[in-house]
Amino acid sequence: MKKFLSMVMVGVMALALSGAAFAQAPAGYVASKGGEKFHTTECPVAKKITADKLVKFATPDEAIKAGYSACKTCNPPPSADALVVTKAGGKYHKQSCRIVAGMDTANKVYYKDVAAAEKDGYKPCAICFKK
Ligand SMILES: [Zn+2]
Ligand SMILES: [Zn+2]
């Protein structure tokens, strides 16, 4: 029985890991009730919001719909499917790209779609836009 349980645990962990690798959006977004900005959960400002004032959103679209705008410190995406570029880089990425995970928050610039990014001269990333 014990052996069976540990095998189940390994299976669950493998599932959780593969799920994380394919996750589209980051963990979530938060805002302060009565505030103006919404944040990533990693933002130092977000960490100061007290539990009784904390509002949670699954996507940036939800936060914007609720009347919040993006925080300048943590620079959250303006929508769940916005593309990401860096000012110095020449490629645009999906938010789920591993290149995006390594980017400096302050350097991220968002585009609402491929057309907008290409208009500014950006090219698709070979990793996240691989055909
Ligand atoms: Zn923030
Ligand atoms: Zn990419």
Side-chain angles (χ1 to χ4, degrees):
M1 188 61 191
K2 212 168 188 181
K3 193 170 180 196
F4 171 73
L5 265 179
S6 67
M7 276 176 69
V8 169
M9 281 303 289
V10 169
V12 167
M13 276 173 70
L15 264 178
L17 281 174
S18 60
F22 289 105
Q24 272 293 313
Y29 302 91
V30 295
S32 173
K33 225 175 272 177
E36 291 173 6
K37 309 286 184 196
F38 73 95
H39 310 268
T40 67
T41 51
E42 299 301 309
C43 181
V45 181
K47 284 177 178 161
K48 282 186 200 145
I49 301 171
T50 51
D52 59 318
K53 288 203 168 156
L54 195 70
V55 193
K56 290 180 183 168
F57 303 99
T59 64
D61 309 71
E62 281 178 32
I64 289 165
K65 213 185 278 176
Y68 295 100
S69 56
C71 163
K72 292 262 193 306
T73 304
C74 56
N75 199 12
S79 75
D81 52 8
L83 301 166
V84 190
V85 306
T86 53
K87 285 166 199 158
K91 312 278 191 211
Y92 56 84
H93 306 266
K94 294 174 183 172
Q95 287 171 44
S96 55
C97 182
R98 63 181 162 89
I99 306 288
V100 172
M103 280 180 189
D104 206 357
T105 301
N107 286 332
K108 289 182 190 173
V109 180
Y110 298 101
Y111 281 93
K112 69 174 166 63
D113 54 32
V114 166
E118 297 213 333
K119 200 169 149 236
D120 276 2
Y122 291 100
K123 299 272 176 271
C125 162
I127 298 164
C128 55
F129 278 92
K130 194 163 55 185
K131 286 178 190 109

